Amino acid sequence: MADPYMATTVTPPERLGQTRLAGGRRLAWAEWGPPTGIPVLLCPGSATSRWLGLPVDTIRRFGVRLITVDRPGLGASSADDGWTLRDWALGIREFAQVQRAEGMAAIGFSMGAPFALACGAARVVTGVSLVSATDELAHPALASALEPEAAVLVKQVATRASSAELLLRDAADADILWEATVGTSHDADQRIFADPAFEQNYRRALTDGFAQGGAGYARETVLALSRWPFDPSTITVPVDLWYADRDTNPLHSPDLGAFLAQRIPTARRFVVPYEGSMLLWTHTDAILRSLLTRIAQQ
């Protein structure tokens, strides 16, 4: 059964800041929950900035210090041409040291999943929960399972990555992504999108995500749709995979994480019935409880 969802529990960040890394790059961040709580990094979906968090009542109940960090070129983080998933993981390692958030776990939602998993592969985080996650769509084993829209994008990135990135840069903005997200979601998600508090914060996060233009969105999309620069079979931190049987987003896992779970030795896979892609906000309690339990058992 879904956790109770309250419109008032998705709130703007409680703390905002920017951290300068040793090389001069700037990472902008937001936090919710107790500053001395268990640090959990949230890697949100496509082009979504630090402004979107999780239900704050749940965060506080679990004693979590929820942290979101703008990826390069999104929000207020420095643009960085040519950055990679490895660069992201190294940046988060340094960020955690500076912000005294060592030992953090990570949640990756939708297209944020490869970024959370990259941190797991580099052992930057102690555990990972992937929710309604994009799989490694460029993996040959998934080619026949992709929906036509996803297959075209993956092929474009594989054959003409630079051209695809240029096209993506000018192909979307905050309003287009909002409409696409709502338009490709199952009816089960509509109660979330109809929540005024959620819509306000989600749209604020998308608007902020495009504050520097579309280059950041284009780069992270190309990275997510390319072959990953790490082998999931080498991951040693615990990984939870959460999917819903009514997830209709064509860029999420085509088999609800079955193939990905086989590739990660530490994976546990959950498929929730009668839910859509917004599982992270309808089952926040269960997702956090499982993640925190697993990292505590290491």
Side-chain angles (χ1 to χ4, degrees):
M1 179 178 294
D3 296 329
Y5 181 81
M6 300 294 291
T8 57
T9 62
V10 178
T11 63
E14 296 174 352
R15 297 176 295 278
L16 291 168
Q18 299 181 11
T19 296
R20 184 79 60 176
L21 303 183
R25 288 194 299 119
R26 182 182 64 252
L27 290 180
W29 52 267
E31 291 188 355
W32 294 257
T36 57
I38 304 166
V40 176
L41 173 72
L42 172 60
C43 298
S46 180
T48 307
S49 80
R50 57 184 170 159
W51 279 87
L52 183 65
L54 300 177
V56 70
D57 292 352
T58 303
I59 294 168
R60 291 172 180 160
R61 186 165 62 253
F62 281 95
V64 163
R65 173 189 172 192
L66 185 73
I67 305 168
T68 58
V69 179
D70 287 344
R71 294 186 284 270
L74 299 185
S77 284
S78 299
D80 184 13
D81 294 341
W83 66 280
T84 66
L85 287 174
R86 286 196 182 97
D87 294 331
W88 168 253
L90 291 174
I92 291 299
R93 186 191 300 278
E94 185 178 347
F95 169 85
Q97 293 169 348
V98 173
Q99 294 299 119
R100 298 188 177 183
E102 294 98 334
M104 70 167 63
I107 297 173
F109 171 69
S110 186
M111 202 171 282
F115 302 95
L117 201 56
C119 292
R123 295 192 64 83
V124 172
V125 297
T126 57
V128 179
S129 184
L130 305 182
V131 187
S132 302
T134 295
D135 201 331
E136 188 178 7
L137 300 184
H139 195 288
L142 293 177
S144 62
L146 298 180
E147 294 192 17
E149 176 185 348
V152 168
L153 284 172
V154 169
K155 183 176 180 180
Q156 288 176 338
V157 169
T159 58
R160 300 182 299 276
S162 297
S163 297
E165 190 167 339
L166 287 173
L167 289 172
L168 286 165
R169 186 184 63 187
D170 301 319
D173 57 26
D175 291 334
I176 289 172
L177 276 195
W178 169 258
E179 295 300 330
T181 300
V182 176
T184 59
S185 293
H186 192 274
D187 290 346
D189 292 319
Q190 296 311 310
R191 71 188 186 280
I192 306 299
F193 295 125
D195 176 344
F198 183 85
E199 178 179 356
Q200 179 180 4
N201 284 283
Y202 201 123
R203 298 193 76 156
R204 170 68 183 272
L206 287 174
T207 298
D208 194 50
F210 281 95
Q212 301 180 59
Y217 157 74
R219 182 61 185 166
E220 68 172 12
T221 302
V222 165
L223 293 178
L225 298 182
S226 300
R227 292 301 304 270
W228 295 345
F230 55 86
D231 182 354
S233 70
T234 66
I235 293 174
T236 57
V237 301
V239 178
D240 283 348
L241 306 176
W242 289 85
Y243 290 92
D245 68 350
R246 299 184 182 184
D247 187 342
T248 54
N249 189 310
L251 294 181
H252 291 172
S253 172
D255 63 358
L256 301 183
F259 176 62
L260 185 56
Q262 294 171 11
R263 301 174 67 201
I264 302 174
T266 59
R268 294 195 314 187
R269 175 172 168 259
F270 305 89
V271 179
V272 182
Y274 311 117
E275 288 289 342
S277 62
M278 305 308 285
L279 196 63
L280 183 55
W281 288 272
T282 62
H283 283 65
T284 314
D285 274 49
I287 291 165
L288 276 178
R289 183 180 298 110
S290 179
L291 178 61
L292 297 179
T293 298
R294 294 195 74 189
I295 64 175
Q297 291 173 343
Q298 293 188 94

